[in-house]
Amino acid sequence: MKTRRLGTTDIEITPIGLGCMQFAGTRNVARWMIRPIDQESATQVVRAALDGGVDWFDTAEMYGNGNSEEALAAALKAAGIRPGQVTVATKWAPVGRTAASITRTIGDRLRHLGGFPVDLHQIHFPTGSLSGIPAQLKAMAALLKAGRIRSVGVSNFSARQLRLAHRVLAAEGVTLASNQVRINLLHRNVERDGVLATARELGVTLIAYSPLEGGLLTGRFHENPALARSAPVMRRFFGRRELSARGLARTRPLIGAMREIGTAYGVSISQVAVNWVINRYGDTVVAIPGASKPRQAAEAAATMEFSLTEAEIGKLNELSLI
Ligand SMILES: NC(=O)c1ccc[n+]([C@@H]2O[C@H](COP(=O)([O-])OP(=O)(O)OC[C@H]3O[C@@H](n4cnc5c(N)ncnc54)[C@H](OP(=O)(O)O)[C@@H]3O)[C@@H](O)[C@H]2O)c1
């Protein structure tokens, strides 16, 4: 599958990147979202992604306060990857901080990344900072002009916030590369809330997080509802409606159709889920599935080897409107 341009920057990336929240370790809040894995497992996951052709990685300060960044860098080095050979995206955590902390913490990001550059630096959330969005974007623009980061992105921004971010950066002569938001077959809000249309108009790439809805769109809970009890605590809490018997009954027809389509291609339900994300919206959207096992990363990467037809995408669209 062809690479896609990150916004209007000169950065080309594969339609699938690897989400690295799974490398957050046990040090902070991210541990309640994931099944923490050790360095050896993280190394195998990264290697499987690379072997499958994935050429970029998404991490964040919030994923273990540097743990995920360090684990990613160590895994890339173990795989013989040198800085500049892959694209690395990370994020600044805004909660309780002023925009000045963007400048203050870039050294930490680079140190944790152990020589890998910050190709994309993102504001993790539009809320929680003690400074307004314009001040945060201006600090990002200054980092870019100082050569410390290669491009600027945001995450969880609404259409209105996206427009504001774009305008503030444009005044600084900087382009807004991306907005990282939740997009999957059960979460198609971007189609209704203006985020997709605004991103297309402004030339901003949408980076789809949780493309598997945290594992729900793999069909594993439909096959074995008891598994929900062992899901990470925050996934269980936020997904309690979807994971309930009634919720699973509602999505069973969708999972059934995904299984049927997957069987025809010789791929899994999860690969159909991710393929829908990267084909439904054309080049505007790329996806960052997370993986705690090498097999999951290999499956995610292999999603780039086939394309659902318009008819299959249409069928899944209908069944996902529940
Ligand atoms: N910007 C933001 O606010 C934000 C928010 C959330 C996530 N993210 C980013 O997006 C990435 C992905 O999101 P996510 O981890 O929330 O959700 P996801 O990609 O929808 O789900 C990942 C989980 O699904 C399971 N899985 C993956 N491949 C599988 C396969 N082939 N078969 C069976 N199960 C499979 C694994 O669960 P187990 O580990 O339990 O096996 C894996 O940890 C994160 O790593 C992070 O980089 C960003």
Side-chain angles (χ1 to χ4, degrees), residues 19 21-22 35 58 63 155-156 180 210 212-214 220 235 288 290 292-293 296 299:
M21 183 168 70
Q22 281 67 12
R35 244 175 256 290
D58 176 77
Y63 304 160
S155 180
N156 298 302
Q180 187 174 133
S210 303
L212 298 168
E213 188 58 17
R220 66 182 179 190
R235 300 249 200 234
I288 46 167
S292 61
K293 298 171 191 70
Q296 296 175 348
E299 275 198 26

mmCIF file with all atom_site columns, all heavy atoms in Angstrom, residues 19 21-22 35 58 63 155-156 180 210 212-214 220 235 288 290 292-293 296 299, ligand 1:
data_model
loop_
_atom_site.group_PDB
_atom_site.id
_atom_site.type_symbol
_atom_site.label_atom_id
_atom_site.label_alt_id
_atom_site.label_comp_id
_atom_site.label_asym_id
_atom_site.label_entity_id
_atom_site.label_seq_id
_atom_site.pdbx_PDB_ins_code
_atom_site.Cartn_x
_atom_site.Cartn_y
_atom_site.Cartn_z
_atom_site.occupancy
_atom_site.B_iso_or_equiv
_atom_site.pdbx_formal_charge
_atom_site.auth_seq_id
_atom_site.auth_comp_id
_atom_site.auth_asym_id
_atom_site.auth_atom_id
_atom_site.pdbx_PDB_model_num
ATOM   1   N N   . GLY A 1 19  ? 0.813   2.028   17.530 1.00 0.00 ? 19  GLY A N   1
ATOM   2   C CA  . GLY A 1 19  ? 0.502   2.756   18.760 1.00 0.00 ? 19  GLY A CA  1
ATOM   3   C C   . GLY A 1 19  ? 1.322   2.160   19.900 1.00 0.00 ? 19  GLY A C   1
ATOM   4   O O   . GLY A 1 19  ? 1.329   0.946   20.086 1.00 0.00 ? 19  GLY A O   1
ATOM   5   N N   . MET A 1 21  ? 1.213   3.009   23.317 1.00 0.00 ? 21  MET A N   1
ATOM   6   C CA  . MET A 1 21  ? 0.705   3.141   24.692 1.00 0.00 ? 21  MET A CA  1
ATOM   7   C C   . MET A 1 21  ? 0.944   1.845   25.460 1.00 0.00 ? 21  MET A C   1
ATOM   8   O O   . MET A 1 21  ? 1.123   1.862   26.683 1.00 0.00 ? 21  MET A O   1
ATOM   9   C CB  . MET A 1 21  ? -0.791  3.464   24.658 1.00 0.00 ? 21  MET A CB  1
ATOM   10  C CG  . MET A 1 21  ? -1.432  3.689   26.005 1.00 0.00 ? 21  MET A CG  1
ATOM   11  S SD  . MET A 1 21  ? -3.078  4.386   25.862 1.00 0.00 ? 21  MET A SD  1
ATOM   12  C CE  . MET A 1 21  ? -3.998  2.999   25.191 1.00 0.00 ? 21  MET A CE  1
ATOM   13  N N   . GLN A 1 22  ? 0.964   0.730   24.739 1.00 0.00 ? 22  GLN A N   1
ATOM   14  C CA  . GLN A 1 22  ? 1.152   -0.587  25.368 1.00 0.00 ? 22  GLN A CA  1
ATOM   15  C C   . GLN A 1 22  ? 2.528   -0.716  26.020 1.00 0.00 ? 22  GLN A C   1
ATOM   16  O O   . GLN A 1 22  ? 2.760   -1.642  26.786 1.00 0.00 ? 22  GLN A O   1
ATOM   17  C CB  . GLN A 1 22  ? 0.940   -1.692  24.320 1.00 0.00 ? 22  GLN A CB  1
ATOM   18  C CG  . GLN A 1 22  ? -0.530  -2.020  24.016 1.00 0.00 ? 22  GLN A CG  1
ATOM   19  C CD  . GLN A 1 22  ? -1.304  -0.901  23.320 1.00 0.00 ? 22  GLN A CD  1
ATOM   20  O OE1 . GLN A 1 22  ? -0.740  0.081   22.846 1.00 0.00 ? 22  GLN A OE1 1
ATOM   21  N NE2 . GLN A 1 22  ? -2.615  -1.026  23.265 1.00 0.00 ? 22  GLN A NE2 1
ATOM   22  N N   . ARG A 1 35  ? -2.403  -3.748  29.020 1.00 0.00 ? 35  ARG A N   1
ATOM   23  C CA  . ARG A 1 35  ? -1.775  -4.882  29.696 1.00 0.00 ? 35  ARG A CA  1
ATOM   24  C C   . ARG A 1 35  ? -0.276  -4.598  29.614 1.00 0.00 ? 35  ARG A C   1
ATOM   25  O O   . ARG A 1 35  ? 0.320   -4.788  28.548 1.00 0.00 ? 35  ARG A O   1
ATOM   26  C CB  . ARG A 1 35  ? -2.054  -6.136  28.856 1.00 0.00 ? 35  ARG A CB  1
ATOM   27  C CG  . ARG A 1 35  ? -2.873  -7.167  29.504 1.00 0.00 ? 35  ARG A CG  1
ATOM   28  C CD  . ARG A 1 35  ? -3.138  -8.270  28.494 1.00 0.00 ? 35  ARG A CD  1
ATOM   29  N NE  . ARG A 1 35  ? -4.489  -8.201  27.980 1.00 0.00 ? 35  ARG A NE  1
ATOM   30  C CZ  . ARG A 1 35  ? -5.564  -8.495  28.698 1.00 0.00 ? 35  ARG A CZ  1
ATOM   31  N NH1 . ARG A 1 35  ? -5.448  -8.882  29.932 1.00 0.00 ? 35  ARG A NH1 1
ATOM   32  N NH2 . ARG A 1 35  ? -6.762  -8.432  28.159 1.00 0.00 ? 35  ARG A NH2 1
ATOM   33  N N   . ASP A 1 58  ? 3.830   5.822   17.268 1.00 0.00 ? 58  ASP A N   1
ATOM   34  C CA  . ASP A 1 58  ? 3.210   6.899   18.047 1.00 0.00 ? 58  ASP A CA  1
ATOM   35  C C   . ASP A 1 58  ? 3.356   6.612   19.536 1.00 0.00 ? 58  ASP A C   1
ATOM   36  O O   . ASP A 1 58  ? 2.897   5.594   20.037 1.00 0.00 ? 58  ASP A O   1
ATOM   37  C CB  . ASP A 1 58  ? 1.720   7.002   17.717 1.00 0.00 ? 58  ASP A CB  1
ATOM   38  C CG  . ASP A 1 58  ? 1.029   8.055   18.575 1.00 0.00 ? 58  ASP A CG  1
ATOM   39  O OD1 . ASP A 1 58  ? 1.207   9.254   18.274 1.00 0.00 ? 58  ASP A OD1 1
ATOM   40  O OD2 . ASP A 1 58  ? 0.346   7.696   19.553 1.00 0.00 ? 58  ASP A OD2 1
ATOM   41  N N   . TYR A 1 63  ? 2.419   8.178   28.389 1.00 0.00 ? 63  TYR A N   1
ATOM   42  C CA  . TYR A 1 63  ? 2.494   6.724   28.443 1.00 0.00 ? 63  TYR A CA  1
ATOM   43  C C   . TYR A 1 63  ? 3.682   6.316   29.310 1.00 0.00 ? 63  TYR A C   1
ATOM   44  O O   . TYR A 1 63  ? 4.754   5.931   28.828 1.00 0.00 ? 63  TYR A O   1
ATOM   45  C CB  . TYR A 1 63  ? 2.626   6.120   27.033 1.00 0.00 ? 63  TYR A CB  1
ATOM   46  C CG  . TYR A 1 63  ? 1.522   6.522   26.075 1.00 0.00 ? 63  TYR A CG  1
ATOM   47  C CD1 . TYR A 1 63  ? 1.693   6.429   24.700 1.00 0.00 ? 63  TYR A CD1 1
ATOM   48  C CD2 . TYR A 1 63  ? 0.303   7.007   26.540 1.00 0.00 ? 63  TYR A CD2 1
ATOM   49  C CE1 . TYR A 1 63  ? 0.682   6.803   23.817 1.00 0.00 ? 63  TYR A CE1 1
ATOM   50  C CE2 . TYR A 1 63  ? -0.707  7.384   25.665 1.00 0.00 ? 63  TYR A CE2 1
ATOM   51  C CZ  . TYR A 1 63  ? -0.500  7.280   24.319 1.00 0.00 ? 63  TYR A CZ  1
ATOM   52  O OH  . TYR A 1 63  ? -1.497  7.654   23.451 1.00 0.00 ? 63  TYR A OH  1
ATOM   53  N N   . SER A 1 155 ? -4.257  16.581  19.281 1.00 0.00 ? 155 SER A N   1
ATOM   54  C CA  . SER A 1 155 ? -4.999  15.338  19.510 1.00 0.00 ? 155 SER A CA  1
ATOM   55  C C   . SER A 1 155 ? -6.282  15.648  20.264 1.00 0.00 ? 155 SER A C   1
ATOM   56  O O   . SER A 1 155 ? -6.287  16.510  21.155 1.00 0.00 ? 155 SER A O   1
ATOM   57  C CB  . SER A 1 155 ? -4.131  14.357  20.304 1.00 0.00 ? 155 SER A CB  1
ATOM   58  O OG  . SER A 1 155 ? -4.843  13.159  20.533 1.00 0.00 ? 155 SER A OG  1
ATOM   59  N N   . ASN A 1 156 ? -7.339  14.959  19.892 1.00 0.00 ? 156 ASN A N   1
ATOM   60  C CA  . ASN A 1 156 ? -8.664  15.118  20.518 1.00 0.00 ? 156 ASN A CA  1
ATOM   61  C C   . ASN A 1 156 ? -9.227  16.520  20.326 1.00 0.00 ? 156 ASN A C   1
ATOM   62  O O   . ASN A 1 156 ? -10.007 16.994  21.153 1.00 0.00 ? 156 ASN A O   1
ATOM   63  C CB  . ASN A 1 156 ? -8.580  14.767  22.024 1.00 0.00 ? 156 ASN A CB  1
ATOM   64  C CG  . ASN A 1 156 ? -8.180  13.323  22.242 1.00 0.00 ? 156 ASN A CG  1
ATOM   65  O OD1 . ASN A 1 156 ? -8.845  12.410  21.778 1.00 0.00 ? 156 ASN A OD1 1
ATOM   66  N ND2 . ASN A 1 156 ? -7.051  13.087  22.919 1.00 0.00 ? 156 ASN A ND2 1
ATOM   67  N N   . GLN A 1 180 ? -5.014  13.744  16.151 1.00 0.00 ? 180 GLN A N   1
ATOM   68  C CA  . GLN A 1 180 ? -5.167  12.327  16.520 1.00 0.00 ? 180 GLN A CA  1
ATOM   69  C C   . GLN A 1 180 ? -6.481  12.160  17.282 1.00 0.00 ? 180 GLN A C   1
ATOM   70  O O   . GLN A 1 180 ? -6.674  12.773  18.325 1.00 0.00 ? 180 GLN A O   1
ATOM   71  C CB  . GLN A 1 180 ? -3.970  11.891  17.369 1.00 0.00 ? 180 GLN A CB  1
ATOM   72  C CG  . GLN A 1 180 ? -3.974  10.408  17.649 1.00 0.00 ? 180 GLN A CG  1
ATOM   73  C CD  . GLN A 1 180 ? -2.722  9.913   18.361 1.00 0.00 ? 180 GLN A CD  1
ATOM   74  O OE1 . GLN A 1 180 ? -2.805  9.172   19.335 1.00 0.00 ? 180 GLN A OE1 1
ATOM   75  N NE2 . GLN A 1 180 ? -1.555  10.299  17.886 1.00 0.00 ? 180 GLN A NE2 1
ATOM   76  N N   . SER A 1 210 ? -7.253  3.895   18.714 1.00 0.00 ? 210 SER A N   1
ATOM   77  C CA  . SER A 1 210 ? -8.193  2.825   19.098 1.00 0.00 ? 210 SER A CA  1
ATOM   78  C C   . SER A 1 210 ? -8.990  2.301   17.891 1.00 0.00 ? 210 SER A C   1
ATOM   79  O O   . SER A 1 210 ? -10.208 2.165   17.966 1.00 0.00 ? 210 SER A O   1
ATOM   80  C CB  . SER A 1 210 ? -9.150  3.316   20.194 1.00 0.00 ? 210 SER A CB  1
ATOM   81  O OG  . SER A 1 210 ? -8.446  3.786   21.320 1.00 0.00 ? 210 SER A OG  1
ATOM   82  N N   . LEU A 1 212 ? -9.334  -0.550  16.932 1.00 0.00 ? 212 LEU A N   1
ATOM   83  C CA  . LEU A 1 212 ? -9.986  -1.826  17.284 1.00 0.00 ? 212 LEU A CA  1
ATOM   84  C C   . LEU A 1 212 ? -10.933 -1.643  18.468 1.00 0.00 ? 212 LEU A C   1
ATOM   85  O O   . LEU A 1 212 ? -11.390 -2.628  19.052 1.00 0.00 ? 212 LEU A O   1
ATOM   86  C CB  . LEU A 1 212 ? -8.929  -2.881  17.637 1.00 0.00 ? 212 LEU A CB  1
ATOM   87  C CG  . LEU A 1 212 ? -7.974  -3.248  16.506 1.00 0.00 ? 212 LEU A CG  1
ATOM   88  C CD1 . LEU A 1 212 ? -6.793  -4.061  17.022 1.00 0.00 ? 212 LEU A CD1 1
ATOM   89  C CD2 . LEU A 1 212 ? -8.727  -4.044  15.444 1.00 0.00 ? 212 LEU A CD2 1
ATOM   90  N N   . GLU A 1 213 ? -11.209 -0.388  18.794 1.00 0.00 ? 213 GLU A N   1
ATOM   91  C CA  . GLU A 1 213 ? -12.026 -0.072  19.988 1.00 0.00 ? 213 GLU A CA  1
ATOM   92  C C   . GLU A 1 213 ? -11.492 -0.874  21.190 1.00 0.00 ? 213 GLU A C   1
ATOM   93  O O   . GLU A 1 213 ? -12.234 -1.545  21.915 1.00 0.00 ? 213 GLU A O   1
ATOM   94  C CB  . GLU A 1 213 ? -13.511 -0.348  19.698 1.00 0.00 ? 213 GLU A CB  1
ATOM   95  C CG  . GLU A 1 213 ? -14.499 0.099   20.774 1.00 0.00 ? 213 GLU A CG  1
ATOM   96  C CD  . GLU A 1 213 ? -14.457 1.592   21.116 1.00 0.00 ? 213 GLU A CD  1
ATOM   97  O OE1 . GLU A 1 213 ? -13.915 2.390   20.338 1.00 0.00 ? 213 GLU A OE1 1
ATOM   98  O OE2 . GLU A 1 213 ? -14.955 1.963   22.194 1.00 0.00 ? 213 GLU A OE2 1
ATOM   99  N N   . GLY A 1 214 ? -10.168 -0.784  21.351 1.00 0.00 ? 214 GLY A N   1
ATOM   100 C CA  . GLY A 1 214 ? -9.520  -1.416  22.504 1.00 0.00 ? 214 GLY A CA  1
ATOM   101 C C   . GLY A 1 214 ? -9.600  -2.936  22.524 1.00 0.00 ? 214 GLY A C   1
ATOM   102 O O   . GLY A 1 214 ? -9.400  -3.547  23.567 1.00 0.00 ? 214 GLY A O   1
ATOM   103 N N   . ARG A 1 220 ? -13.122 -10.951 19.970 1.00 0.00 ? 220 ARG A N   1
ATOM   104 C CA  . ARG A 1 220 ? -12.776 -11.912 21.041 1.00 0.00 ? 220 ARG A CA  1
ATOM   105 C C   . ARG A 1 220 ? -13.783 -11.902 22.190 1.00 0.00 ? 220 ARG A C   1
ATOM   106 O O   . ARG A 1 220 ? -14.013 -12.929 22.812 1.00 0.00 ? 220 ARG A O   1
ATOM   107 C CB  . ARG A 1 220 ? -11.352 -11.690 21.528 1.00 0.00 ? 220 ARG A CB  1
ATOM   108 C CG  . ARG A 1 220 ? -11.102 -10.377 22.229 1.00 0.00 ? 220 ARG A CG  1
ATOM   109 C CD  . ARG A 1 220 ? -9.629  -10.267 22.611 1.00 0.00 ? 220 ARG A CD  1
ATOM   110 N NE  . ARG A 1 220 ? -9.371  -9.002  23.267 1.00 0.00 ? 220 ARG A NE  1
ATOM   111 C CZ  . ARG A 1 220 ? -8.163  -8.540  23.532 1.00 0.00 ? 220 ARG A CZ  1
ATOM   112 N NH1 . ARG A 1 220 ? -7.114  -9.229  23.177 1.00 0.00 ? 220 ARG A NH1 1
ATOM   113 N NH2 . ARG A 1 220 ? -8.004  -7.394  24.131 1.00 0.00 ? 220 ARG A NH2 1
ATOM   114 N N   . ARG A 1 235 ? -10.587 0.124   30.400 1.00 0.00 ? 235 ARG A N   1
ATOM   115 C CA  . ARG A 1 235 ? -11.305 -0.387  29.219 1.00 0.00 ? 235 ARG A CA  1
ATOM   116 C C   . ARG A 1 235 ? -12.652 -0.950  29.673 1.00 0.00 ? 235 ARG A C   1
ATOM   117 O O   . ARG A 1 235 ? -13.676 -0.798  29.018 1.00 0.00 ? 235 ARG A O   1
ATOM   118 C CB  . ARG A 1 235 ? -10.515 -1.499  28.547 1.00 0.00 ? 235 ARG A CB  1
ATOM   119 C CG  . ARG A 1 235 ? -9.139  -1.097  28.066 1.00 0.00 ? 235 ARG A CG  1
ATOM   120 C CD  . ARG A 1 235 ? -9.092  -1.080  26.551 1.00 0.00 ? 235 ARG A CD  1
ATOM   121 N NE  . ARG A 1 235 ? -7.744  -1.162  26.075 1.00 0.00 ? 235 ARG A NE  1
ATOM   122 C CZ  . ARG A 1 235 ? -7.197  -0.298  25.227 1.00 0.00 ? 235 ARG A CZ  1
ATOM   123 N NH1 . ARG A 1 235 ? -7.881  0.729   24.779 1.00 0.00 ? 235 ARG A NH1 1
ATOM   124 N NH2 . ARG A 1 235 ? -5.961  -0.461  24.813 1.00 0.00 ? 235 ARG A NH2 1
ATOM   125 N N   . ILE A 1 288 ? -3.356  3.885   14.014 1.00 0.00 ? 288 ILE A N   1
ATOM   126 C CA  . ILE A 1 288 ? -2.279  3.417   14.910 1.00 0.00 ? 288 ILE A CA  1
ATOM   127 C C   . ILE A 1 288 ? -2.799  2.341   15.862 1.00 0.00 ? 288 ILE A C   1
ATOM   128 O O   . ILE A 1 288 ? -2.960  2.590   17.063 1.00 0.00 ? 288 ILE A O   1
ATOM   129 C CB  . ILE A 1 288 ? -1.646  4.582   15.704 1.00 0.00 ? 288 ILE A CB  1
ATOM   130 C CG1 . ILE A 1 288 ? -2.722  5.520   16.305 1.00 0.00 ? 288 ILE A CG1 1
ATOM   131 C CG2 . ILE A 1 288 ? -0.687  5.368   14.838 1.00 0.00 ? 288 ILE A CG2 1
ATOM   132 C CD1 . ILE A 1 288 ? -2.154  6.491   17.344 1.00 0.00 ? 288 ILE A CD1 1
ATOM   133 N N   . GLY A 1 290 ? -2.812  -0.552  18.511 1.00 0.00 ? 290 GLY A N   1
ATOM   134 C CA  . GLY A 1 290 ? -1.859  -0.921  19.556 1.00 0.00 ? 290 GLY A CA  1
ATOM   135 C C   . GLY A 1 290 ? -1.716  -2.432  19.596 1.00 0.00 ? 290 GLY A C   1
ATOM   136 O O   . GLY A 1 290 ? -2.616  -3.160  19.168 1.00 0.00 ? 290 GLY A O   1
ATOM   137 N N   . SER A 1 292 ? 0.044   -5.750  22.110 1.00 0.00 ? 292 SER A N   1
ATOM   138 C CA  . SER A 1 292 ? 0.840   -6.205  23.258 1.00 0.00 ? 292 SER A CA  1
ATOM   139 C C   . SER A 1 292 ? 1.564   -7.513  22.930 1.00 0.00 ? 292 SER A C   1
ATOM   140 O O   . SER A 1 292 ? 2.290   -8.036  23.766 1.00 0.00 ? 292 SER A O   1
ATOM   141 C CB  . SER A 1 292 ? -0.055  -6.400  24.490 1.00 0.00 ? 292 SER A CB  1
ATOM   142 O OG  . SER A 1 292 ? -1.047  -7.386  24.244 1.00 0.00 ? 292 SER A OG  1
ATOM   143 N N   . LYS A 1 293 ? 1.318   -8.019  21.719 1.00 0.00 ? 293 LYS A N   1
ATOM   144 C CA  . LYS A 1 293 ? 1.979   -9.266  21.287 1.00 0.00 ? 293 LYS A CA  1
ATOM   145 C C   . LYS A 1 293 ? 2.463   -9.105  19.851 1.00 0.00 ? 293 LYS A C   1
ATOM   146 O O   . LYS A 1 293 ? 1.790   -8.422  19.054 1.00 0.00 ? 293 LYS A O   1
ATOM   147 C CB  . LYS A 1 293 ? 0.988   -10.432 21.361 1.00 0.00 ? 293 LYS A CB  1
ATOM   148 C CG  . LYS A 1 293 ? 0.475   -10.692 22.763 1.00 0.00 ? 293 LYS A CG  1
ATOM   149 C CD  . LYS A 1 293 ? -0.656  -11.703 22.792 1.00 0.00 ? 293 LYS A CD  1
ATOM   150 C CE  . LYS A 1 293 ? -1.314  -11.721 24.178 1.00 0.00 ? 293 LYS A CE  1
ATOM   151 N NZ  . LYS A 1 293 ? -2.097  -10.491 24.465 1.00 0.00 ? 293 LYS A NZ  1
ATOM   152 N N   . GLN A 1 296 ? -0.082  -9.657  17.108 1.00 0.00 ? 296 GLN A N   1
ATOM   153 C CA  . GLN A 1 296 ? -1.046  -8.566  16.886 1.00 0.00 ? 296 GLN A CA  1
ATOM   154 C C   . GLN A 1 296 ? -0.433  -7.482  15.992 1.00 0.00 ? 296 GLN A C   1
ATOM   155 O O   . GLN A 1 296 ? -1.097  -6.948  15.096 1.00 0.00 ? 296 GLN A O   1
ATOM   156 C CB  . GLN A 1 296 ? -1.467  -7.960  18.225 1.00 0.00 ? 296 GLN A CB  1
ATOM   157 C CG  . GLN A 1 296 ? -2.213  -8.936  19.140 1.00 0.00 ? 296 GLN A CG  1
ATOM   158 C CD  . GLN A 1 296 ? -2.508  -8.345  20.520 1.00 0.00 ? 296 GLN A CD  1
ATOM   159 O OE1 . GLN A 1 296 ? -1.983  -7.291  20.890 1.00 0.00 ? 296 GLN A OE1 1
ATOM   160 N NE2 . GLN A 1 296 ? -3.336  -9.039  21.292 1.00 0.00 ? 296 GLN A NE2 1
ATOM   161 N N   . GLU A 1 299 ? -0.278  -8.761  12.442 1.00 0.00 ? 299 GLU A N   1
ATOM   162 C CA  . GLU A 1 299 ? -1.606  -8.701  11.811 1.00 0.00 ? 299 GLU A CA  1
ATOM   163 C C   . GLU A 1 299 ? -1.948  -7.273  11.393 1.00 0.00 ? 299 GLU A C   1
ATOM   164 O O   . GLU A 1 299 ? -2.474  -7.032  10.310 1.00 0.00 ? 299 GLU A O   1
ATOM   165 C CB  . GLU A 1 299 ? -2.677  -9.199  12.784 1.00 0.00 ? 299 GLU A CB  1
ATOM   166 C CG  . GLU A 1 299 ? -2.862  -10.697 12.777 1.00 0.00 ? 299 GLU A CG  1
ATOM   167 C CD  . GLU A 1 299 ? -4.193  -11.122 13.406 1.00 0.00 ? 299 GLU A CD  1
ATOM   168 O OE1 . GLU A 1 299 ? -5.155  -10.334 13.407 1.00 0.00 ? 299 GLU A OE1 1
ATOM   169 O OE2 . GLU A 1 299 ? -4.241  -12.261 13.895 1.00 0.00 ? 299 GLU A OE2 1
HETATM 170 N N1  . LIG B 2 .   ? -4.396  10.488  21.598 1.00 0.00 ? 1   LIG B N1  1
HETATM 171 C C1  . LIG B 2 .   ? -5.109  9.822   22.474 1.00 0.00 ? 1   LIG B C1  1
HETATM 172 O O1  . LIG B 2 .   ? -5.812  10.408  23.325 1.00 0.00 ? 1   LIG B O1  1
HETATM 173 C C2  . LIG B 2 .   ? -5.047  8.313   22.469 1.00 0.00 ? 1   LIG B C2  1
HETATM 174 C C3  . LIG B 2 .   ? -5.958  7.560   23.238 1.00 0.00 ? 1   LIG B C3  1
HETATM 175 C C4  . LIG B 2 .   ? -5.870  6.160   23.187 1.00 0.00 ? 1   LIG B C4  1
HETATM 176 C C5  . LIG B 2 .   ? -4.898  5.548   22.390 1.00 0.00 ? 1   LIG B C5  1
HETATM 177 N N2  . LIG B 2 .   ? -4.027  6.308   21.661 1.00 0.00 ? 1   LIG B N2  1
HETATM 178 C C6  . LIG B 2 .   ? -2.994  5.684   20.782 1.00 0.00 ? 1   LIG B C6  1
HETATM 179 O O2  . LIG B 2 .   ? -3.626  4.731   19.936 1.00 0.00 ? 1   LIG B O2  1
HETATM 180 C C7  . LIG B 2 .   ? -3.007  3.450   20.063 1.00 0.00 ? 1   LIG B C7  1
HETATM 181 C C8  . LIG B 2 .   ? -4.045  2.359   19.891 1.00 0.00 ? 1   LIG B C8  1
HETATM 182 O O3  . LIG B 2 .   ? -5.162  2.576   20.715 1.00 0.00 ? 1   LIG B O3  1
HETATM 183 P P1  . LIG B 2 .   ? -5.674  1.534   21.816 1.00 0.00 ? 1   LIG B P1  1
HETATM 184 O O4  . LIG B 2 .   ? -4.548  0.734   22.346 1.00 0.00 ? 1   LIG B O4  1
HETATM 185 O O5  . LIG B 2 .   ? -6.520  2.317   22.745 1.00 0.00 ? 1   LIG B O5  1
HETATM 186 O O6  . LIG B 2 .   ? -6.715  0.615   21.066 1.00 0.00 ? 1   LIG B O6  1
HETATM 187 P P2  . LIG B 2 .   ? -6.754  -0.444  19.871 1.00 0.00 ? 1   LIG B P2  1
HETATM 188 O O7  . LIG B 2 .   ? -5.647  -0.257  18.931 1.00 0.00 ? 1   LIG B O7  1
HETATM 189 O O8  . LIG B 2 .   ? -8.142  -0.326  19.402 1.00 0.00 ? 1   LIG B O8  1
HETATM 190 O O9  . LIG B 2 .   ? -6.623  -1.839  20.657 1.00 0.00 ? 1   LIG B O9  1
HETATM 191 C C9  . LIG B 2 .   ? -5.381  -2.372  20.989 1.00 0.00 ? 1   LIG B C9  1
HETATM 192 C C10 . LIG B 2 .   ? -5.590  -3.644  21.776 1.00 0.00 ? 1   LIG B C10 1
HETATM 193 O O10 . LIG B 2 .   ? -6.395  -4.561  21.030 1.00 0.00 ? 1   LIG B O10 1
HETATM 194 C C11 . LIG B 2 .   ? -5.915  -5.880  21.192 1.00 0.00 ? 1   LIG B C11 1
HETATM 195 N N3  . LIG B 2 .   ? -5.462  -6.377  19.882 1.00 0.00 ? 1   LIG B N3  1
HETATM 196 C C12 . LIG B 2 .   ? -4.695  -5.740  18.967 1.00 0.00 ? 1   LIG B C12 1
HETATM 197 N N4  . LIG B 2 .   ? -4.507  -6.496  17.877 1.00 0.00 ? 1   LIG B N4  1
HETATM 198 C C13 . LIG B 2 .   ? -5.172  -7.646  18.083 1.00 0.00 ? 1   LIG B C13 1
HETATM 199 C C14 . LIG B 2 .   ? -5.353  -8.814  17.321 1.00 0.00 ? 1   LIG B C14 1
HETATM 200 N N5  . LIG B 2 .   ? -4.831  -8.942  16.106 1.00 0.00 ? 1   LIG B N5  1
HETATM 201 N N6  . LIG B 2 .   ? -6.101  -9.824  17.857 1.00 0.00 ? 1   LIG B N6  1
HETATM 202 C C15 . LIG B 2 .   ? -6.660  -9.706  19.089 1.00 0.00 ? 1   LIG B C15 1
HETATM 203 N N7  . LIG B 2 .   ? -6.511  -8.593  19.857 1.00 0.00 ? 1   LIG B N7  1
HETATM 204 C C16 . LIG B 2 .   ? -5.779  -7.577  19.367 1.00 0.00 ? 1   LIG B C16 1
HETATM 205 C C17 . LIG B 2 .   ? -4.779  -5.812  22.197 1.00 0.00 ? 1   LIG B C17 1
HETATM 206 O O11 . LIG B 2 .   ? -5.328  -6.013  23.491 1.00 0.00 ? 1   LIG B O11 1
HETATM 207 P P3  . LIG B 2 .   ? -4.514  -6.850  24.611 1.00 0.00 ? 1   LIG B P3  1
HETATM 208 O O12 . LIG B 2 .   ? -3.262  -6.087  24.820 1.00 0.00 ? 1   LIG B O12 1
HETATM 209 O O13 . LIG B 2 .   ? -5.460  -6.815  25.777 1.00 0.00 ? 1   LIG B O13 1
HETATM 210 O O14 . LIG B 2 .   ? -4.295  -8.227  24.022 1.00 0.00 ? 1   LIG B O14 1
HETATM 211 C C18 . LIG B 2 .   ? -4.283  -4.385  22.035 1.00 0.00 ? 1   LIG B C18 1
HETATM 212 O O15 . LIG B 2 .   ? -3.627  -3.909  23.179 1.00 0.00 ? 1   LIG B O15 1
HETATM 213 C C19 . LIG B 2 .   ? -2.323  3.493   21.443 1.00 0.00 ? 1   LIG B C19 1
HETATM 214 O O16 . LIG B 2 .   ? -1.241  2.598   21.515 1.00 0.00 ? 1   LIG B O16 1
HETATM 215 C C20 . LIG B 2 .   ? -1.893  4.937   21.514 1.00 0.00 ? 1   LIG B C20 1
HETATM 216 O O17 . LIG B 2 .   ? -0.666  5.120   20.816 1.00 0.00 ? 1   LIG B O17 1
HETATM 217 C C21 . LIG B 2 .   ? -4.108  7.674   21.673 1.00 0.00 ? 1   LIG B C21 1
#
